[in-house]
Amino acid sequence: MSILKELKYSLKSIIKNAGYDVEDIIFATSSRKDLGDYQINDAMRLSKIYNENPRDIAEKIVNILKKDPRFINVNIAGPGFINLTLSPYFLQTALNQILDDFNLNIDKVPKKNIFMDYGGANVAKTLHVGHLRSANIGEAIKRLAKYLGLEVISDVHFGDIGRQSGMVISEIKKRYPTLAYFDENYTGNYEEIDFNITEEELGEIYPIASIAAKENKERMEEVVEITKELEEGNKAYTALWNKIKDISISDIKQVYKDINVVFDLYEGETDCYPYIPEVIDYLEKNNYLKESEDAQIMDVKEEQDTSPMPPLVVIKRNGGTLYATRDIATIYSRLKRFDINEIWYFADNRQALYFEQIFRAVKKSKLVPKDLKLEFFGFGTLNGEDKKPFKTRDGNVMSLKELIKILEEETTKRLNKDMVEEEKQQETAKKIAIAALKYADLIPYRETDYVFSPEKFTSLDGKTGPFLLYSTIRMKSLLEKASIKKYALKKFKNEIDRAPALLLLDFPQILTNCLEEKSLNELTDYIYKLTSSYNTFYNENKIIAETDEDLKESWIALTHLVYKTNMEILNILGINVPEKM
Ligand code: ARG
């Protein structure tokens, strides 16, 4: 258990011993550091329960705390707020314990098996900024969950079937009509057809086909027909689509790798196909499906609903499956194969209603056990300066690759070319650009929209990825220069070196809050505060040249702890630190 949590428990029992039977106490980091490090805000609440003056209650508690060697400057403010400050000895001992065992500054959570579904890139379609958010937030939450002791299996859930498949195949047919895939008299093996398409060409095919199909009715009919045949297992289309899938997926994987996103499973919507007959059969036999305009739908409305809850279409009019059918069968397949307590989905807020329908459908039909927890975590959009979803200058969706390129150009401009060897400059600029993007993306609360601002994101000052990388690298180089092997905190000089020390104790609570909220905003905020507070101390003092040996050693120890904490956080956020910058 973390030191601060232990302290909180011990304060709770002190209050209990003073005669107040409390379940939990309101123990918070103080915003008025001049009054104390922490506040206990229970006296007002207890006064109502025990019918006693809050100041008298506070007085009783304070009298005990004043004798406690862990605290100094215990005082009462206003109607009964208790302020207290940690004694230098207590604080320094706490930090030395963390130096010995970093686990003392982490509060693990009870073990559970989580299945995480994030990323969600679509095959043969451009990876866009919405996919960045899903991948970035999902990856960080996955790392955080594991860090705090949960077992996690992650799956990208590729969109590997649907209208886009028909579009792409119809466009390839138009460009290469003589290919054997389209020859009805072909009797050979479809897997052996010699056909290759570059990633570039594939990238331009979908948008072109999509426009063509929208403008031309016959073309759209062809697309629908091809999609249907593909779904029904047409051998020629399947072989062609598999080829396209391979090319597209290896490209998508490379982008994910660039942004430090890795999955345990790279499955797609079609991986549930073997389970679909079973699932549909079950739903039909148990009368969960009903016919509506030739489609099969499922009612998911509940009595207490206050907003519209449309039925879920499970089978299309032409008998084909939909995104929803595949999500239902995917849940079924995951539960068959893995031991799962909870499934977490990360997708755009606009899919919130859809997921609610899915969750209700599988619960209502008892396709999943009652106690399986299904949760959707939506996120806001990345907007342009006009506060609308970010687009390219010509109005197209901004691809993730383009986005990274813009930031790479911006970081290259600002790169300190004297610090980084020439052959490493490009790689370093890219690392910094990705850090800038990932960090900026995790600053707002998950559901909040934010504005893409390359200059701001890549700035070396302020709440940015580059600022954190730069500061963290500087800590590392100080530690290398100091070359002291064993160090401990022996004393503090003043409030300036004490400030980052105190902040370190907040780390476990911040992690717990972020996991609870499935949002990284508190953690991005915390690392910024910790780093700024450390930098203030760094700028005020000459650490290496300090002649008071105890002080110097203490400062190295402090640097070590802040550096280690920063590295742990950056790793959770999925941000790599370059050697130099
Ligand atoms: N491919 C989907 C999209 O681009 C996201 C997938 C989300 N996950 C899921 N199981 N439906 O919108």
Side-chain angles (χ1 to χ4, degrees):
M1 196 193 312
S2 70
I3 287 159
L4 220 50
K5 199 166 177 184
E6 217 166 90
L7 186 63
K8 188 178 164 183
Y9 278 138
S10 134
L11 287 167
K12 189 177 101 178
S13 56
I14 287 175
I15 294 175
K16 261 193 165 163
N17 291 339
Y20 306 100
D21 194 16
V22 281
E23 280 282 318
D24 198 8
I25 62 165
I26 311 168
F27 175 66
T29 307
S30 173
S31 47
R32 289 276 313 269
K33 288 287 182 242
D34 53 323
L35 295 179
D37 296 336
Y38 301 99
Q39 289 186 342
I40 303 171
N41 300 342
D42 292 274
M44 284 67 71
R45 184 171 68 91
L46 292 175
S47 90
K48 290 197 192 94
I49 303 171
Y50 289 89
N51 209 2
E52 243 181 283
N53 183 325
R55 269 199 87 98
D56 292 346
I57 298 177
E59 201 86 44
K60 262 194 233 167
I61 300 168
V62 161
N63 283 338
I64 305 172
L65 296 181
K66 276 191 167 156
K67 283 180 233 134
D68 195 317
R70 293 175 294 181
F71 313 117
I72 54 170
N73 186 23
V74 188
N75 61 74
I76 305 173
F81 296 106
I82 301 170
N83 295 305
L84 53 87
T85 293
L86 299 183
S87 77
Y89 183 74
F90 179 78
L91 180 58
Q92 119 205 356
T93 310
L95 293 182
N96 285 331
Q97 283 168 344
I98 300 171
L99 264 176
D100 268 351
D101 178 4
F102 199 78
N103 279 317
L104 278 176
N105 216 23
I106 302 168
D107 285 319
K108 299 261 179 194
V109 296
K111 243 197 180 56
K112 256 188 298 192
N113 299 328
I114 311 294
F115 195 100
M116 279 184 65
D117 179 314
Y118 63 96
N122 298 319
V123 167
K125 272 167 104 171
T126 318
L127 206 64
H128 59 69
V129 296
H131 294 121
L132 161 77
R133 298 221 69 198
S134 178
N136 195 35
I137 297 170
E139 178 72 17
I141 293 295
K142 176 188 76 183
R143 291 175 184 224
L144 174 62
K146 286 187 174 175
Y147 195 74
L148 296 187
L150 295 175
E151 297 286 338
V152 186
I153 301 173
S154 59
D155 178 25
V156 63
H157 200 70
F158 282 126
D160 62 353
I161 188 75
R163 185 73 45 98
Q164 89 263 25
S165 328
M167 300 250 185
V168 171
I169 294 175
S170 92
E171 181 66 21
I172 291 178
K173 186 173 174 186
K174 189 157 168 270
R175 293 185 183 200
Y176 308 96
T178 57
L179 275 176
Y181 299 112
F182 311 115
D183 176 0
E184 275 169 26
N185 300 318
Y186 181 73
T187 52
N189 188 342
Y190 287 110
E191 321 299 323
E192 282 162 11
I193 295 173
D194 183 27
F195 171 63
N196 256 309
I197 185 163
T198 62
E199 174 32 51
E200 285 68 45
E201 186 175 357
L202 194 55
E204 60 175 60
I205 275 186
Y206 173 74
I208 289 177
S210 153
I211 292 168
K214 270 194 200 107
E215 285 171 355
N216 179 321
K217 202 166 153 252
E218 273 155 47
R219 181 74 184 269
M220 186 55 105
E221 277 164 10
E222 184 189 61
V223 167
V224 172
E225 181 56 30
I226 295 176
T227 312
K228 181 168 180 256
E229 284 181 37
L230 176 65
E231 267 205 52
E232 287 167 359
N234 175 305
K235 286 209 172 71
Y237 292 158
T238 304
L240 176 55
W241 182 240
N242 282 342
K243 200 161 246 182
I244 294 163
K245 254 166 70 168
D246 281 350
I247 298 167
S248 177
I249 285 177
S250 83
D251 183 56
I252 296 170
K253 275 191 180 168
Q254 184 54 48
V255 182
Y256 279 145
K257 203 169 152 218
D258 284 348
I259 59 169
N260 308 323
V261 172
V262 274
F263 298 91
D264 298 310
L265 306 171
Y266 288 87
E267 298 188 355
E269 290 180 32
T270 59
D271 282 282
C272 73
Y273 274 7
Y275 298 90
I276 285 186
E278 227 169 298
V279 169
I280 298 296
D281 196 49
Y282 171 85
L283 293 178
E284 267 169 359
K285 281 212 176 101
N286 293 283
N287 293 323
Y288 288 113
L289 297 179
K290 69 174 193 203
E291 206 170 298
S292 167
E293 296 173 33
D294 292 334
Q296 297 289 324
I297 65 167
M298 195 169 167
D299 271 326
V300 286
K301 232 173 114 57
E302 282 166 15
E303 245 172 57
Q304 60 274 28
D305 284 340
T306 50
S307 47
M309 181 55 68
L312 188 68
V313 183
V314 181
I315 302 170
K316 279 202 288 203
R317 221 178 285 180
N318 68 6
T321 65
L322 299 112
Y323 184 47
T325 328
R326 298 187 286 270
D327 257 322
I328 292 176
T330 300
I331 296 177
Y332 181 80
S333 123
R334 286 171 179 167
L335 289 178
K336 280 233 145 166
R337 292 178 294 149
F338 306 103
D339 183 13
I340 301 173
N341 303 115
E342 300 184 9
I343 308 183
W344 300 348
Y345 294 85
F346 290 80
D348 192 299
N349 262 334
R350 285 168 285 197
Q351 294 196 36
L353 175 67
Y354 165 77
F355 276 104
E356 182 57 29
Q357 291 177 298
I358 295 289
F359 298 166
R360 287 186 182 194
V362 293
K363 281 274 158 94
K364 181 181 167 185
S365 61
K366 303 187 187 70
L367 260 178
V368 303
K370 248 215 298 290
D371 58 353
L372 173 76
K373 213 164 155 188
L374 294 161
E375 289 200 89
F376 169 73
F377 302 106
F379 47 78
T381 54
L382 170 53
N383 292 337
E385 298 287 351
D386 59 357
K387 305 269 157 69
K388 297 208 182 92
F390 193 42
K391 298 242 158 85
T392 58
R393 234 171 271 153
D394 48 13
N396 288 320
V397 273
M398 175 66 78
S399 77
L400 182 49
K401 279 185 188 169
E402 264 172 282
L403 202 71
I404 294 173
K405 220 165 89 205
I406 296 173
L407 292 172
E408 225 178 302
E409 278 160 18
E410 203 63 46
T411 37
T412 308
K413 271 194 253 167
R414 298 177 189 216
L415 192 70
N416 182 349
K417 312 259 180 347
D418 301 331
M419 274 308 286
V420 186
E421 295 93 317
E422 207 171 335
E423 62 277 12
K424 288 209 175 140
Q425 283 174 6
Q426 206 188 343
E427 185 198 319
T428 306
K430 188 162 186 179
K431 257 194 192 157
I432 300 171
I434 284 163
L437 178 62
K438 296 195 69 165
Y439 183 74
D441 185 61
L442 298 174
I443 290 177
Y445 173 66
R446 170 170 48 77
E447 292 192 82
T448 311
D449 299 343
Y450 70 102
V451 172
F452 183 64
S453 164
E455 275 146 58
K456 194 169 123 198
F457 292 2
T458 57
S459 166
L460 259 183
D461 327 292
K463 200 172 175 181
T464 69
F467 165 75
L468 295 171
L469 293 184
Y470 177 79
S471 308
T472 306
I473 292 171
R474 194 167 70 176
M475 291 171 206
K476 186 174 110 193
S477 100
L478 177 90
L479 290 171
E480 279 162 8
K481 261 192 226 132
S483 70
I484 301 182
K485 287 281 164 302
K486 244 186 100 58
Y487 34 75
L489 263 133
K490 294 187 169 150
K491 60 178 178 182
F492 295 102
K493 185 176 171 189
N494 50 28
E495 285 310 307
I496 293 176
D497 55 353
R498 202 174 168 279
L502 205 57
L503 267 174
L504 283 166
L505 299 184
D506 291 338
F507 179 59
Q509 184 64 50
I510 300 287
L511 295 182
T512 312
N513 295 353
C514 286
L515 185 64
E516 186 71 28
E517 288 290 323
K518 312 291 181 299
S519 175
L520 284 309
N521 58 305
E522 280 194 45
L523 191 57
T524 47
D525 197 48
Y526 173 75
I527 187 175
Y528 175 64
K529 278 202 196 121
L530 178 64
T531 305
S532 302
S533 155
Y534 176 85
N535 284 358
T536 304
F537 147 74
Y538 179 97
N539 294 331
E540 283 282 319
N541 297 290
K542 291 200 162 55
I543 301 172
I544 304 272
E546 176 57 49
T547 50
D548 177 338
E549 286 301 326
D550 279 354
L551 204 50
K552 180 174 168 183
E553 185 185 328
S554 301
W555 286 347
I556 299 294
L558 181 62
T559 304
H560 186 89
L561 274 174
V562 176
Y563 172 70
K564 164 93 176 148
T565 306
N566 271 15
M567 289 303 282
E568 301 287 293
I569 295 174
L570 290 169
N571 193 29
I572 291 171
L573 300 178
I575 293 174
N576 283 347
V577 184
E579 281 290 304
K580 291 181 197 155
M581 71 181 265

